[in-house]
Amino acid sequence: MSEIKDEQALAEEELLKLAATQQVTQVGGRQREQDGTVFGWRKWSRSHSQREEEVVICYGREEWNQEQKSQLLSLVSWNVLSDTWWNKEKAGGEYSHTEPQQGEWSYRLSLILQWIEHLNPNILALQEIDYRKFDDLLQELAKRGYTGKIQKPKKKAEKQPCGVATFWKADKFQFVKEASFSRTQCVVLAWSCENDTQLCITNVHLESSQNQSGFDRRARQLNSALAWAATEASDATLLVCGDWNTSADAQLFQVLREYSWHGHVLSSVYEHPDTHQTLPVSHATFLVPGHHYSIDHMLYDPERLRLKCALNAFSKEEMDEHVHRNGDNCGFPSAFCPSDHIPIGAMFELLPQTDVTINQCSVVSIPIQVSEERKAELIAQWESLQAQRPTQTKGKPTPEEIAERRVYANAIKAWKQTIEDNPTEKELVNQLIKGNK
């Protein structure tokens, strides 16, 4: 992973402004290399925090199911296409590529449940679940060992008839708490077979508009969920997944790569080098004729989880038959795939956690391969810098406050550059900064 910058050096509004910067690229990353990867993907993959770790790619549901092990955490995310939106779009002339019967909810639900049975993940994050369909869906998933909750809407309006819903295996996890925001839901679970280790699953279906307002809303929607996770689930291991309605080349993802956002440092499953031939990387996660976009993503905390496996929802034979053979005319839903999105997923191994203690100066004390003398020197330098840190105020910062923050940010940057060529010292410094969140 590239060097993570200190979010505290930027005011929250400045960070949001940076994340909401509009890009000239189209939704889904239409600017691609010859191998199908989005421009920039190779650079991001070379900086992936776990690039040296081998990751198994499961082609199709059968391979995925065979790879599942009891000690691994498996998570699948899928936008299953709201029945309400299907009918509205169909009435407007969309989805002409889909046979009418294959678009009906009863037909698609049966197929969705078959896919879920084959994937059988520990945790399932679904998007575009109609509120009026949730109880029936929950009843069906309960037969398969799941329980779950749907995002709580501010109001069930015709304008937004659906939300995100998160499900988990009832025999593996205990529900702790939940919070709902605009287009996002955070669910905290205790993992029974891992000493009740807490997980915070953040399920997102961000704003779809591809204008400046849409870029701003996506950043703010994600920000609300990340802020809650930082304050209300600070001990939980964070995973963020869903339909982001933008591609990995958006500025939103660049901020996630370069900054610790509310203390969260995250890595993307489908930016690991071993995923380069998967559909989410080399082709798309949303497919209707003429519109193939990579807009579904899954991020995780690489300090607490090790990526072991990534899902390519179609087998190689299915990719040839249902995607490559049809070119730009490929589109779903169909008798094969019941949604216009394909599922994404990953399996993770829980990493052993080093004991962390925080002293009165909020400095993390972690055993690391740095001499005690040098360690004390770096901690003293950090404490000195923290004494210079501008006071955080509510509301819009004044020009003077912005200038103070920039001076502080430059001081942090200059200090970090002094240890740039020393990996162990660099790691200690990064942990000091993260421990001050």
Side-chain angles (χ1 to χ4, degrees), residues 89-110:
E89 295 295 316
K90 182 69 175 176
E94 300 295 331
Y95 297 111
S96 59
H97 62 283
T98 302
E99 293 292 333
Q101 178 190 359
Q102 295 168 7
E104 294 297 325
W105 178 246
S106 58
Y107 182 96
R108 293 197 298 113
L109 176 59
S110 176

Side-chain angles (χ1 to χ4, degrees), residues 327-376:
D328 284 345
N329 291 323
C330 166
F332 305 116
S334 68
F336 166 64
C337 180
S339 174
D340 49 8
H341 290 249
I342 65 172
I344 62 172
M347 297 182 201
F348 304 93
E349 178 183 50
L350 190 66
L351 292 171
Q353 294 301 294
T354 306
D355 291 336
V356 177
T357 58
I358 303 180
N359 64 22
Q360 293 179 344
C361 296
S362 296
V363 175
V364 181
S365 176
I366 297 178
I368 196 166
Q369 294 178 349
V370 178
S371 70
E372 289 301 318
E373 182 179 358
R374 177 57 176 160
K375 184 177 177 182

Side-chain angles (χ1 to χ4, degrees), residues 169-180:
K169 289 288 188 178
D171 62 342
K172 294 181 182 295
F173 303 94
Q174 294 293 323
F175 173 75
V176 178
K177 55 185 172 181
E178 179 266 352
S180 295

Side-chain angles (χ1 to χ4, degrees), residues 144-203:
R144 294 155 176 86
Y146 292 95
T147 187
K149 292 187 176 291
I150 193 167
Q151 171 190 5
K152 296 174 183 175
K154 291 183 178 179
K155 56 182 179 179
K156 295 180 182 178
E158 183 179 352
K159 185 178 179 181
Q160 187 54 267
C162 60
V164 302
T166 306
F167 304 87
W168 56 91
K169 289 288 188 178
D171 62 342
K172 294 181 182 295
F173 303 94
Q174 294 293 323
F175 173 75
V176 178
K177 55 185 172 181
E178 179 266 352
S180 295
F181 308 93
S182 173
R183 288 182 168 268
T184 65
Q185 176 195 43
C186 295
V187 174
V188 179
L189 304 172
W191 192 358
S192 303
C193 65
E194 288 291 345
N195 299 317
D196 289 333
T197 296
Q198 290 196 0
L199 307 171
C200 180
I201 310 300
T202 299
N203 188 354

